[in-house]
Amino acid sequence: ETADLSAARYQGLYVLEERIRVGDDRLPIDDIVTPGDTALPALSGSYLFKADRNDLDEFYWRTARNFPNSSGRFMVLDRPKRAEVQPAQSLYIIQAFNEFENTVYGTDPMHPETGVGRCIDLLSWADFHIMKTYSMDVDIFTLSSYFHKDRGGKIMAGPVWDFDRSLGPYGYPESTYPNVKRWDAWTFASEPFTRNDFWGRLHAQPAFQRLYWDRWFALRRGTLSNTNLAATIGRLHAQLPEAAATRDYVKWGQWPTNDVFGRTHSGEIAWMTWFATNHATWIDQNFKQKCAVLRAPVLDPACRIQPAGEPLTVTLTAPEGDLVYYTLDGSDPVLWNNLPAPQARACRPGMSVQLTASAALFARATTRAHDTWSLAARAEYLLGGRRARPGDILISEIHYHPRVDAADPQ
């Protein structure tokens, strides 16, 4: 190309992006299995796979319960590719996922020793579902839905990927998808909670519901707070001047289609901020539509640091429930099977606890029948102590034990 660049040859804005890859600053897992990795422990990972359409160079399958049950969609092995994957490796990852699926459909899927926690990393699965659901991603769980399994590790959900049609995507007629531009709805695609697949089975478990909604509200206090959502959108917006966006619209004759804030780039950003923050707030207000979880008790004071020798009184109130169970060691006061934990103490809402030593208080409210429990309430109380500061810990030695290749120990 030798011709000079000029406005007459303008071709609009382009976004360059990478695909999901394994490596430093990308997906931080061990190396993908090689053709020689056909015995444990090397056979156990790493694998990168997804629910998606398959390409010709990819090995694919459906689970024992026929997930994903959609035409042209499969469980697809992204890495290693079909030409390199060995029969023992494809069988291993199929059986690993089937073991999870069989367990979640079993009689006690959240049992701490025999349940799904043996097979999957539950927190990563909660995070994955939260991001897919919050964004109202049209692909939801059967397209562009990645998983990975590290060597010797559990199946992780993620990384999240492919959000071009999310947070109020355009291009769909509201006559066909009435929720397509609404922030006061759970989805405009398939139902994300009550489903006839392993996601639906997970969300039917009270222990997973508590983990999931505890995580949602923890994110809402930080990463997904309205303040941070607006700031993130604003920071990304600052990278693209209004004039540059307008030139692209003019070049291709494609303009924003929202009529709430105006069909301009600034109007689009205002609409995105409005949608993202209102949708998150709406979920806060309506989460009980999707679970059997009570609202969290309130601890007063929420946290406290005070000198030794001064006892502290903490009052536990509950907007819902007849009893409050709590622990002072940071452990969950309820077991996976809805029974109070052996170390948990009980009190009525409105009663107080007197602390004479530091404690990590963890409380949940419940009904008299213990059939429904609340979101978590946690607080740290330091009596005669303080939080760590820079300089409190010094590194004196580092011990490094590299992994030895049995085939080449040198």
Side-chain angles (χ1 to χ4, degrees):
E1 182 65 61
T2 58
D4 293 337
L5 292 176
S6 68
R9 303 179 67 221
Y10 174 73
Q11 294 298 308
L13 298 173
Y14 288 79
V15 176
L16 302 180
E17 62 185 36
E18 290 187 279
R19 299 293 300 274
I20 294 174
R21 291 290 183 266
V22 173
D24 294 340
D25 300 319
R26 290 173 176 77
L27 185 59
I29 59 176
D30 288 332
D31 293 340
I32 296 295
V33 291
T34 65
D37 295 331
T38 56
L40 293 173
L43 176 62
S44 68
S46 294
Y47 299 89
L48 176 64
F49 57 105
K50 58 187 175 177
D52 206 350
R53 301 182 184 93
N54 68 294
D55 290 332
L56 294 177
D57 64 343
E58 294 174 323
F59 174 83
Y60 62 96
W61 75 99
R62 287 199 173 104
T63 70
R65 285 177 169 77
N66 200 37
F67 180 88
N69 187 17
S70 299
S71 177
R73 303 178 189 186
F74 304 92
M75 299 297 292
V76 179
L77 191 58
D78 186 284
R79 293 289 187 280
K81 291 299 185 182
R82 190 169 192 162
E84 289 82 33
V85 66
Q86 302 301 300
Q89 295 166 349
S90 57
L91 180 62
Y92 175 85
I93 197 62
I94 289 173
Q95 290 179 337
F97 206 90
N98 282 347
E99 182 181 7
F100 152 67
E101 194 178 51
N102 290 336
T103 303
V104 80
Y105 277 89
T107 57
D108 197 0
M110 296 300 291
H111 190 285
E113 296 178 1
T114 60
V116 294
R118 296 179 304 111
C119 309
I120 66 172
D121 179 85
L122 284 162
L123 187 58
S124 77
W125 283 61
D127 284 347
F128 182 91
H129 191 284
I130 284 170
M131 292 308 299
K132 286 287 188 178
T133 301
Y134 164 68
S135 65
M136 301 179 75
D137 180 18
V138 67
D139 292 335
I140 203 77
F141 305 124
T142 61
L143 286 174
S144 301
S145 290
Y146 279 81
F147 304 89
H148 60 280
K149 186 184 181 302
D150 212 341
R151 180 169 296 181
K154 302 176 182 181
I155 297 172
M156 309 281 289
V160 291
W161 176 255
D162 193 1
F163 291 94
D164 61 316
R165 298 181 296 171
S166 58
L167 286 174
Y170 304 132
Y172 291 89
E174 292 181 78
S175 58
T176 306
Y177 298 95
N179 293 343
V180 71
K181 295 183 181 181
R182 289 181 56 183
W183 50 259
D184 57 342
W186 289 102
T187 181
F188 76 93
S190 59
E191 160 61 36
F193 292 91
T194 308
R195 301 171 57 88
N196 293 321
D197 57 25
F198 49 78
W199 286 113
R201 284 290 296 176
L202 275 177
H203 279 281
Q205 311 308 314
F208 186 78
Q209 290 181 11
R210 292 192 294 272
L211 179 150
Y212 183 92
W213 290 106
D214 283 349
R215 180 61 170 167
W216 165 258
F217 283 102
L219 291 170
R220 286 287 285 148
R221 292 188 290 270
T223 303
L224 294 183
S225 68
N226 285 356
T227 298
N228 195 57
L229 288 169
T232 301
I233 294 170
R235 186 171 62 252
L236 296 172
H237 176 216
Q239 299 176 19
L240 184 63
E242 185 80 10
T246 301
R247 282 196 300 271
D248 183 82
Y249 299 151
V250 171
K251 169 66 180 181
W252 301 111
Q254 297 288 329
W255 292 79
T257 59
N258 89 79
D259 293 313
V260 180
F261 296 97
R263 298 189 176 195
T264 64
H265 186 55
S266 293
E268 188 80 346
I269 299 304
W271 189 90
M272 173 64 75
T273 306
W274 171 78
F275 190 102
T277 55
N278 277 283
H279 184 50
T281 300
W282 182 85
I283 292 175
D284 293 346
Q285 297 167 347
N286 292 275
F287 79 98
K288 294 184 71 173
Q289 295 177 5
K290 298 299 182 181
C291 65
V293 179
L294 306 177
R295 298 189 183 278
V298 178
L299 310 179
D300 184 24
C303 287
R304 180 67 62 85
I305 300 175
Q306 67 183 46
E310 296 183 16
L312 176 66
T313 299
V314 180
T315 302
L316 294 78
T317 58
E320 297 178 311
D322 307 307
L323 293 169
V324 177
Y325 280 81
Y326 67 94
T327 63
L328 300 178
D329 61 2
S331 60
D332 198 323
V334 58
L335 300 175
W336 84 99
N337 56 6
N338 269 16
L339 295 177
Q343 72 275 21
R345 309 175 190 183
C347 68
R348 293 186 181 279
M351 294 184 67
S352 299
V353 177
Q354 188 172 73
L355 303 178
T356 58
S358 295
L361 200 156
F362 188 150
R364 291 189 192 273
T366 186
T367 59
R368 291 186 183 277
H370 300 145
D371 54 355
T372 307
W373 290 79
S374 76
L375 296 167
R378 297 182 179 94
E380 182 182 62
Y381 303 100
L382 295 178
L383 278 62
R386 63 173 175 81
R387 292 188 174 88
R389 300 169 183 164
D392 284 351
I393 299 176
L394 299 177
I395 298 175
S396 60
E397 296 180 61
I398 296 177
H399 294 264
Y400 172 57
H401 184 191
R403 190 174 66 196
V404 176
D405 187 343
D408 184 17
Q410 301 302 318

